[in-house]
Amino acid sequence: MGMIESGGVACKCTGRRSYGFREATFHENRIFLSNLRSVSMTPLLLNGLCCTRWPSVAGTRTCILSMDDREKSGSTMLESSRQKRVPLYVMMPADTFGIDASGSPRIRKIKAITVSLKALKLAGVHGIAVEVWWGIVERFSPLAYNWSLYEELFQLISQMGLKLHVALSFHSNRRTSSSGSGGVSLPLWILEIGEHNKDIYYQDQNGFSNDAYLTLGVDQIPLFCGRTAIQCYEDFMFSFFNKFDSFIGNVIEEISVGLGPSGELRYPAHPFGDGRWEFPGIGEFQCYDKYMMEDLRMAAAQEGKPQWGDKGPQNAGYYNSLPSGVPFFGEGEEGFLSDYGRFFLEWYSGRLIQHADAILAKAANMLKKYQENKRTTVILVAKIGGIYWWYWTFSHPAELTSGYYNTAYRDGYDPIALMLSRHGAALHISCLEMLDSETSPAYLCSPEGLLEQIRTVSKKRTIRLIGRNTNEQFNKAGLCQIYANCYHPKAVVRAFTFFRMNDKIFRVENWKNFVPFVRKMSTGL
């Protein structure tokens, strides 16, 4: 491919190249079904797997009241909540996809996957969550879509009697794959453009780019063989809807649309896997590619403050800084409450919401015919990140760098919820397995506080919530916390995605906890 002046590369269909996926590590376990059959449901349920839990004085989880007792009391759960059923989806393994000797895509360890799906169906799981990767389907050439891998997988899942949550994934997971290597990249033709123009990716203040997702600065710039980034996403979605028309609303009940790194509506302020950031660092603003900087300059000029458009905040610390001693996240004259601070944060968060608004408008329009058909059920979903550390500070710095203008003085999630309500989209939030007491008090974390805020804005804007866990969870206490959050009196979630399927889930000690959890979720008792 040759260079062109627009900063992209000339478009030519090239021969098929080999994928760069790593070998699968999801092991076939032939005792899945026998394990399932060996689980005696009644004793496990009677022993109080799902219960109301409160942190103990020592900060550990303690089960105080069994769910049966809780229901008898009738004091903490609304009648509508008791009658609500929460469908449970299990996400496919991260290393599901691979290639054969000829370089063609295929599903790895298909026998193990098949046995696993049977076991999950028998356990009472409602459906499977599948990431549909841009980097697989449109991998080699623009507008050349290969859906064969997903046709095979969707047929298999459908034959098992399971439903689908499909996550249209416009990001890369190369740095977040379980082994720290391999994974799925962006399409190869996108990467070739990026080799000549690094500004198609988000950049930090030191010029380091992140190729996990295209910067929203190129949403409306035709750098991709004559198309803008939004048009690339739209064309991909249009092809998907055409290919799987008969599945949508029948087998496919939820469609989430990727809006950023890990599919979440946020900036890559806390890059994982490349050594720049470690928890609980505040992260860095990601607005230094030339396209976002040009947008910032125009916004500053419109504000009558052209000097504000030269750069992002220069006193906001670094990836692993802590809030104390970082002027921008303090309440002084150079902080987030200053006129400049408000201007920058409104611009930074506002562009993120505009980005989601543009993509979800395209998706919602394509879904209309299915939603108007009373015989089908399908909902549009948007994910946000669970940025819970430093939540109890005034400035919420980790959220600010991620693009959520949420502080002690401003509700940053309400504008997002309002935007989602316009498109009838559900909000997908993580952290449902977490307790405040599980993190160091020094980091002022509050996954529980974050969830409470999300519940409040979802109720205000009448949008549905979908939950997921952030970390692997197989013990009774963690599953109990998930259940409690799914059937919370203020807001029962529309569905829950369990993150994710792997060989651990089928180990006897974990399976004996997981099966009654699934049954409890399915019945809503």
Side-chain angles (χ1 to χ4, degrees), residues 361-482:
K362 306 290 187 184
N365 188 54
M366 295 179 198
L367 274 175
K368 276 183 181 178
K369 73 172 186 177
Y370 305 99
Q371 294 171 334
E372 291 170 354
N373 183 349
K374 295 182 180 179
R375 292 175 296 178
T376 63
T377 302
V378 60
I379 62 171
L380 180 63
V381 180
K383 297 180 181 179
I384 66 170
I387 312 299
Y388 58 86
W389 53 104
W390 306 116
Y391 185 86
W392 290 128
T393 64
F394 285 109
S395 60
H396 294 228
E399 289 167 273
L400 295 185
T401 56
S402 296
Y404 306 135
Y405 189 2
N406 189 55
T407 70
Y409 311 102
R410 185 183 190 276
D411 188 339
Y413 297 103
D414 185 58
I416 295 173
L418 178 60
M419 178 271 296
L420 296 181
S421 70
R422 292 199 298 269
H423 303 299
L427 189 156
H428 198 159
I429 180 69
S430 61
C431 304
L432 267 70
E433 85 285 13
M434 302 180 75
L435 290 169
D436 289 3
S437 59
E438 295 174 321
T439 59
S440 169
Y443 305 148
L444 299 175
C445 300
S446 187
E448 295 178 82
L450 175 61
L451 283 176
E452 182 63 20
Q453 185 176 358
I454 295 299
R455 290 189 192 102
T456 299
V457 299
S458 68
K459 184 175 182 180
K460 175 182 177 181
R461 299 301 179 184
T462 61
I463 60 172
R464 291 165 288 195
L465 285 181
I466 290 177
R468 71 185 188 276
N469 50 307
T470 299
N471 304 304
E472 267 187 4
Q473 195 61 254
F474 301 116
N475 63 71
K476 288 184 180 182
L479 296 174
C480 178
Q481 179 71 358
I482 291 173

Side-chain angles (χ1 to χ4, degrees), residues 171-172 174-175 185-186 191 201-202 209-214:
H171 64 284
S172 164
R174 287 194 301 183
R175 290 193 176 93
S185 71
L186 296 183
L191 297 182
Y201 307 124
Y202 288 115
S209 59
N210 188 317
D211 63 1
Y213 189 79
L214 296 176

Side-chain angles (χ1 to χ4, degrees), residues 225-237:
C225 301
R227 294 186 294 166
T228 67
I230 294 291
Q231 289 171 334
C232 289
Y233 307 144
E234 180 182 14
D235 290 340
F236 184 92
M237 291 189 291

Side-chain angles (χ1 to χ4, degrees), residues 302-320:
Q302 292 172 359
E303 189 73 14
K305 298 284 188 178
Q307 67 274 21
W308 289 352
D310 292 339
K311 56 182 74 71
Q314 297 298 289
N315 59 348
Y318 303 96
Y319 285 110
N320 294 311

